[in-house]
């Protein structure tokens, strides 16, 4: 199917839901005005295909009312307005979470009401009432901490009432919403903690937090930390302009966080209504909980909250077509993307590698460090790391013994760059031509190449790769040192390395936790931050701009060199696939969906800072599907035995690594059929 009606293009298919934090216009004690403003935003959200709208605390009556909270006329107006909102909601898609005062058994409760398609699903009272500094809520409201299992009457409808409610969509697995109100979030243990342990994936906070200097940062900190600790999405909506400023002011801050990451934020201090929208990945949240046994242990430790929470279900219309994706999807998930912290993040990634090799040097006291220098990305970065380690340990860089070993397809350009790099680094440098030894081995095994036939098969390639590694190990023994591995995380994922006698093997794999895209970026960062001298920076820039090639097969008749990415696919796509597979366990169709939105248009979305314009690529869905199928076949089908025998090397990114002693444990004899079948069934092929 070529049109956008295929279920693949619908976000609900992939476990995402569209959520909004709304800051409607508000007028103090003007219930009718507030009702209309709430409905106006609800209709806007409906038109934007939003599934959940979170409004501010007490938005129907307004919050800053002081003793007007005790006026019967106000409560009757609120109840009448609620009836009209409920009626109007029958034709609207979103689940609405509206703040309003609620009378129950001679008490007033500060409540959040869940309204969906013509009925009130439940009312959640505020647990913690601030009564310090500028707040006096205990003067008017009763707390709801002990209200569980109750019902109340609202305009003749019997409504579940309590802090033990989770609102769950029947049609979208994982779309489970829990509610808390403002001060609840500032408590040492927010009530939503237990709701998350009970299975809620989306935690909503209806707030009327007044604004003071620095409070926005505090809210961000709390939202990020709680979304991370509760393994959930957190939606926060604060009251805005229109509330009484008798003693306080309001900024209307809306935020949506997922697993500690900011998805969207509203404009603060706006005079207009704000609708802050993001697509939240409930499936990813559930996947993370499945991995994090600490989360499940906490649920058991706290008496299995799911056994005492009430689940209020509702039927929710599922989107069956393309409504886009409102969500930041990083093209380069392994590459630092925080502009304000970019240098710090790159420094950290780089120094994880430097510290790893430093510790190994301290532990073994080698007389030399042996490394093969090809003039390509991986060996270049490994040398950069080794040089920094020597500098920090006070060792002369001549401790590093670099060898360039030209073979049958080594180009003049890479060989020249290898020498330029070694000379600019000031290491001990040498050259060993492996062609005579390779020719002898090919003759010994009876390979057709030795008889003059242009047969450039895997054996032809591996003879060269194996000889290089063999030389390095013998040289390390000769010079009392050990071999620094240069192979990277991307190559390990794809099995693009020669097992045992090739680049899969070393004494210490300094790049084992670093994918190709991060290596490229770190080399550029090295130049930008002037880690070395001008001559070194010049050759680093030349190397990072050179097409990636193993240079094991001679150029064709047309002069075209062997291109790695034409064989195994673009590294930028493979690294994207790798991140979503090993970090989140996403199924192939979900990975393809995210890749489609990240890569289909080079002009949309953010690129890493200082990323070269000429390197900004785009890929259509058929291309993504083709290379994802290749990735799945290589990753799940035949590469694990190489990863199961990895040398030591440090994990660098939270995205994961493939060490059998660390992030990734897998059988070497599994098949890729499950993943390939899922891809073929659920992703259009044109």
């Amino acid at each position: 199917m070529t049109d956008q009606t295929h279920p693949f293009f619908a976000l609900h298919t992939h476990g995402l839901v569209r959520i909004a934090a709304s800051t409607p216009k508000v007028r103090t004690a003007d219930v009718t005005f507030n009702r209309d403003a709430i409905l106006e935003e609800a209709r806007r959200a409906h038109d934007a295909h939003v599934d959940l709208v979170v409004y501010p605390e007490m938005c129907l009556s307004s919050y800053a009312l002081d003793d007007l909270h005790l006026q019967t006329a106000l409560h009757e107006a609120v109840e009448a307005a609620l009836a009209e909102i409920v009626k109007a909601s029958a034709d609207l898609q979103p689940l609405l979470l509206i703040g309003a005062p609620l009378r129950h058994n001679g008490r007033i409760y500060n409540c959040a009401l869940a309204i969906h398609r013509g009925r009130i699903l439940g009312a959640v009272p505020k647990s913690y009432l601030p009564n310090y500094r500028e707040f006096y809520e205990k003067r008017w409201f009763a707390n709801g901490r002990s209200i569980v299992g109750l019902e109340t009457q609202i305009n003749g409808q019997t409504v579940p009432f309590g802090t033990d409610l989770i609102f769950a969509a029947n049609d979208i697995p994982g779309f489970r919403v829990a509610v808390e109100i403002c001060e609840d979030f500032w408590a040492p243990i927010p009530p939503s903690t237990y709701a998350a342990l009970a299975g809620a994936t989306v935690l909503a906070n209806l707030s009327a937090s007044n604004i003071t200097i620095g409070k926005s940062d505090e809210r961000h900190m709390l939202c990020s930390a709680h979304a991370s600790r509760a393994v959930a999405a957190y939606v926060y909506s604060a009251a805005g302009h229109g509330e009484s400023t008798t003693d306080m002011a309001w900024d209307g801050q809306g935020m949506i966080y997922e697993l500690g990451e900011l998805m969207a934020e509203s404009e603060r201090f706006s005079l207009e209504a704000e609708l802050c929208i993001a697509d939240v990945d409930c499936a990813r949240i559930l996947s993370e909980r499945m991995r994090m046994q600490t989360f499940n242990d906490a649920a058991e430790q706290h008496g299995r909250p799911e056994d005492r929470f009430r689940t209020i279900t509702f039927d929710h219309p599922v989107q069956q077509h393309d409504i886009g994706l409102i969500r930041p999807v990083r093209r380069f998930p392994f590459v630092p993307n925080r502009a304000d912290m970019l240098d710090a993040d790159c420094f950290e990634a780089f120094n994880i590698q430097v510290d790893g090799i430093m510790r190994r040097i301290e532990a073994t006291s080698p007389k030399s460090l042996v490394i093969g220098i090809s003039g390509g990305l991986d060996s270049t970065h490994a040398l950069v790391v080794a040089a920094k380690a020597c500098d920090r340990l006070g060792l002369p860089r001549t401790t590093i013994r670099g060898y360039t070993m030209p073979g049958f397809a080594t180009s003049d350009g890479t060989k020249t760059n290898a020498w330029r790099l070694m000379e600019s680094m000031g290491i001990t440098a040498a050259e060993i031509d492996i062609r005579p030894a390779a020719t002898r081995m090919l003759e010994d095994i009876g390979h057709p190449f030795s008889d003059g036939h242009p047969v450039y098969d895997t054996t032809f390639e591996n003879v060269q790769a194996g000889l290089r590694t063999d030389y390095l190990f013998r040289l390390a023994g000769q010079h009392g040192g050990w071999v620094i591995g240069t192979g990277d995380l991307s190559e390990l994922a794809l099995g693009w390395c020669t097992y045992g006698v090739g680049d899969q093997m070393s004494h210490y794999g300094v790049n084992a936790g670093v994918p190709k895209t991060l290596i490229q970026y770190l080399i550029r960062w090295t130049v930008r931050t002037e880690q070395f001298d001008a001559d070194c920076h010049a050759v680093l820039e030349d190397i990072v701009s050179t097409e990636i090639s193993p240079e094991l097969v001679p150029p064709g008749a047309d002069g075209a060199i062997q291109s790695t990415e034409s064989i195994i696919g673009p590294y930028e796509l493979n690294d994207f696939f790798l991140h979503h597979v090993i970090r989140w366990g996403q199924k192939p169709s979900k990975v393809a969906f995210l890749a489609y939105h990240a890569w289909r248009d080079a002009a949309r979305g953010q690129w890493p800072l200082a990323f070269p314009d000429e390197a900004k690529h785009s890929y259509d869905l058929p291309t993504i599907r083709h290379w994802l199928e290749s990735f799945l076949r290589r990753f799940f089908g035949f590469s694990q035995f190489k990863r199961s025998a990895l040398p030591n090397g440090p994990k660098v990114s939270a995205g994961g690594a493939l060490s059998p002693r660390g992030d990734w444990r897998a059988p070497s004899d599994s098949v890729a059929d499950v993943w390939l079948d899922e891809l073929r069934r659920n992703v259009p092929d044109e």
Side-chain angles (χ1 to χ4, degrees):
M1 299 178 65
T2 57
D3 61 63
Q4 308 297 292
T5 61
H6 191 291
F8 168 82
F9 295 102
L11 60 85
H12 287 165
T13 299
H14 305 286
L16 291 112
V17 294
R18 184 158 293 175
I19 291 174
S22 172
T23 309
K25 292 183 178 181
V26 63
R27 189 179 293 169
T28 306
D30 191 339
V31 176
T32 300
F33 177 91
N34 298 340
R35 174 204 64 198
D36 293 344
I38 288 168
L39 286 174
E40 182 178 350
E41 291 305 287
R43 294 186 183 102
R44 272 216 299 159
H46 172 85
D47 292 341
H49 305 286
V50 170
D51 299 301
L52 169 67
V53 184
V54 180
Y55 291 89
E57 178 182 13
M58 302 289 281
C59 59
L60 187 51
S61 61
S62 72
Y63 173 80
L65 295 178
D66 296 335
D67 286 351
L68 299 185
H69 286 302
L70 302 174
Q71 291 291 311
T72 301
L74 179 79
H75 289 281
E76 290 181 352
V78 165
E79 290 162 8
L82 269 176
E84 295 181 58
I85 292 173
V86 171
K87 181 179 178 181
S89 74
D91 298 321
L92 301 175
Q93 173 176 303
L95 168 64
L96 308 176
L97 298 179
I98 294 172
L102 181 66
R103 295 181 291 181
H104 177 79
N105 284 350
R107 303 180 185 90
I108 305 172
Y109 293 91
N110 180 340
C111 288
L113 294 113
I115 299 170
H116 186 260
R117 291 193 166 264
R119 73 183 176 111
I120 301 176
L121 301 181
V124 179
K126 189 172 183 176
S127 291
Y128 295 98
L129 303 175
N131 220 62
Y132 55 91
R133 297 199 298 271
E134 64 263 48
F135 300 108
Y136 294 91
E137 285 195 28
K138 291 182 180 180
R139 179 179 175 93
W140 313 296
F141 301 113
N143 77 73
R145 289 194 297 274
S146 60
I147 298 179
V148 294
L150 295 186
E151 294 178 333
T152 191
Q153 293 290 316
I154 302 176
N155 291 326
Q157 179 188 343
T158 300
V159 174
F161 179 47
T163 57
D164 57 342
L165 302 181
I166 292 176
F167 305 101
N170 288 321
D171 312 279
I172 306 176
F175 183 24
R176 300 171 62 86
V177 182
V179 185
E180 61 190 7
I181 301 173
C182 202
E183 184 72 11
D184 294 346
F185 191 40
W186 271 265
I189 304 177
S192 63
T193 303
Y194 299 107
L197 294 174
T201 55
V202 179
L203 312 178
N205 188 311
L206 291 73
S207 178
S209 167
N210 64 305
I211 187 60
T212 56
I213 296 172
K215 198 169 189 180
S216 173
D217 291 340
E218 181 182 5
R219 295 172 187 151
H220 273 294
M221 178 268 293
L222 291 171
C223 285
S224 177
H226 195 50
S228 180
R229 193 165 42 240
V231 193
Y234 201 85
V235 191
Y236 180 90
S237 180
H241 181 81
E243 285 283 354
S244 171
T245 56
T246 299
D247 292 297
M248 293 178 282
W250 318 87
D251 65 335
Q253 186 169 24
M255 295 178 286
I256 302 172
Y257 274 84
E258 179 184 310
L259 301 177
E261 183 179 357
L262 180 63
M263 296 284 109
E265 181 179 11
S266 66
E267 178 186 346
R268 297 168 58 219
F269 298 105
S270 174
L271 297 181
E272 301 301 321
E274 287 283 312
L275 201 61
C276 169
I277 300 175
D279 295 330
V280 165
D281 194 341
C282 294
R284 185 172 82 135
I285 290 166
L286 292 176
S287 176
E288 183 70 346
R289 289 180 179 179
M290 184 172 66
R291 282 166 172 70
M292 187 182 289
Q293 293 306 315
T294 300
F295 182 89
N296 298 305
D297 287 347
E300 295 292 330
Q301 177 66 25
H302 289 280
R304 291 178 53 86
E306 63 188 288
D307 294 341
R308 61 180 184 268
F309 268 74
R310 289 178 285 171
T311 299
I312 311 301
T313 61
F314 59 97
D315 295 327
H316 189 69
V318 176
Q319 297 294 339
Q320 299 284 2
H321 61 284
D322 187 1
I323 60 170
L325 186 67
I326 305 174
R327 174 185 179 85
V329 182
R330 292 169 61 183
R331 290 180 173 91
F332 297 90
F334 289 103
V335 173
N337 71 325
R338 302 183 298 175
D340 59 327
M341 294 290 290
L342 186 65
D343 283 346
D345 288 344
C346 289
F347 171 86
E348 193 168 54
F350 181 62
N351 279 281
I352 289 170
Q353 294 180 270
V354 173
D355 190 74
I357 198 171
M358 284 171 55
R359 182 67 189 98
R360 186 54 54 96
I361 292 169
E362 290 176 331
T364 58
S365 301
K367 295 179 182 178
S368 68
L369 302 171
V370 176
I371 183 170
I373 303 299
S374 68
L377 284 170
D378 293 345
S379 62
T380 295
H381 186 61
L383 177 55
V384 165
V385 169
K388 277 294 181 183
C390 287
D391 292 349
R392 288 182 61 185
L393 289 171
L395 297 173
R397 289 189 188 171
T398 51
T399 303
I400 304 170
R401 303 185 69 88
Y403 296 88
T404 186
M405 292 176 279
F408 296 118
T410 301
S411 68
D412 291 339
T414 54
K415 179 180 172 181
T416 299
N417 281 341
W419 270 106
R420 289 172 61 202
L421 180 65
M422 292 189 291
E423 290 171 349
S424 67
M425 284 287 185
I427 68 172
T428 303
E431 180 176 320
I432 299 174
D433 187 343
I434 66 167
R435 287 173 294 183
T439 299
R440 174 61 186 271
M441 181 175 285
L442 290 167
E443 290 173 351
D444 289 346
I445 66 176
H447 191 274
F449 178 81
S450 64
D451 292 328
H453 300 290
V455 177
Y456 307 126
D457 56 9
T458 302
T459 300
F460 176 81
E461 296 186 35
N462 284 350
V463 162
Q464 297 172 77
L467 277 170
R468 285 174 175 141
T469 301
D470 196 14
Y471 273 117
L472 293 175
F473 272 92
R474 303 298 78 78
L475 289 162
Q478 181 182 9
H479 296 285
W482 41 262
V483 178
I484 298 174
T486 60
D488 64 50
L489 181 64
S490 305
E491 294 176 341
L492 291 168
L494 296 162
W496 191 250
C497 50
T498 303
Y499 180 74
V501 297
D503 49 342
Q504 181 264 349
M505 189 49 60
S506 65
H507 288 111
Y508 192 75
V510 70
N511 287 340
V514 190
K516 193 76 75 177
T517 50
L518 181 54
I519 284 177
Q520 291 171 316
Y521 199 75
L522 286 176
I523 291 175
R524 292 189 180 106
W525 172 81
T526 298
V527 174
R528 192 172 66 250
T529 56
E530 299 181 345
Q531 298 292 315
F532 298 98
D533 61 27
D535 290 341
C536 183
H537 294 157
V539 67
L540 289 176
E541 288 181 326
D542 287 346
I543 289 171
V544 81
S545 62
T546 301
E547 181 173 2
I548 299 170
S549 171
E551 293 195 329
L552 295 171
V553 174
D558 59 356
I561 67 168
Q562 184 183 22
S563 170
T564 297
E565 292 182 297
S566 69
I567 301 170
I568 60 175
Y571 275 114
E572 55 197 11
L573 281 184
N574 283 317
D575 284 357
F576 185 96
F577 302 153
L578 176 64
H579 173 84
H580 288 279
V581 166
I582 68 170
R583 176 62 184 90
W584 304 110
Q586 308 275 28
K587 59 186 180 181
S589 60
K590 175 75 162 287
V591 177
F593 175 80
L594 295 172
Y596 170 70
H597 283 283
W599 286 100
R600 62 178 173 167
D601 185 352
R604 298 176 61 182
Q606 289 188 335
W607 291 87
L609 191 67
F611 198 83
D613 288 338
E614 64 274 12
K616 294 179 179 178
H617 304 136
S618 61
Y619 302 98
D620 59 18
L621 183 59
T623 302
I624 290 168
R625 187 185 190 275
H626 169 76
W627 289 121
L628 179 54
E629 184 169 343
S630 171
F631 172 87
L632 296 172
R633 189 179 293 108
R634 300 186 71 94
F635 184 81
F636 290 107
F638 63 80
S639 300
Q640 181 57 40
F641 76 98
K642 298 180 181 181
R643 299 188 286 265
S644 295
L646 282 182
N648 296 163
K651 177 180 177 179
V652 173
S653 167
L658 292 172
S659 168
R661 300 167 296 275
D663 277 11
W664 186 256
R665 294 162 177 81
S668 295
D669 46 11
S670 64
V671 295
D673 295 11
V674 167
W675 293 269
L676 293 170
D677 289 346
E678 199 281 336
L679 176 76
R680 292 163 182 164
R681 283 197 317 271
N682 298 313
V683 180
D685 58 5
E686 59 180 0

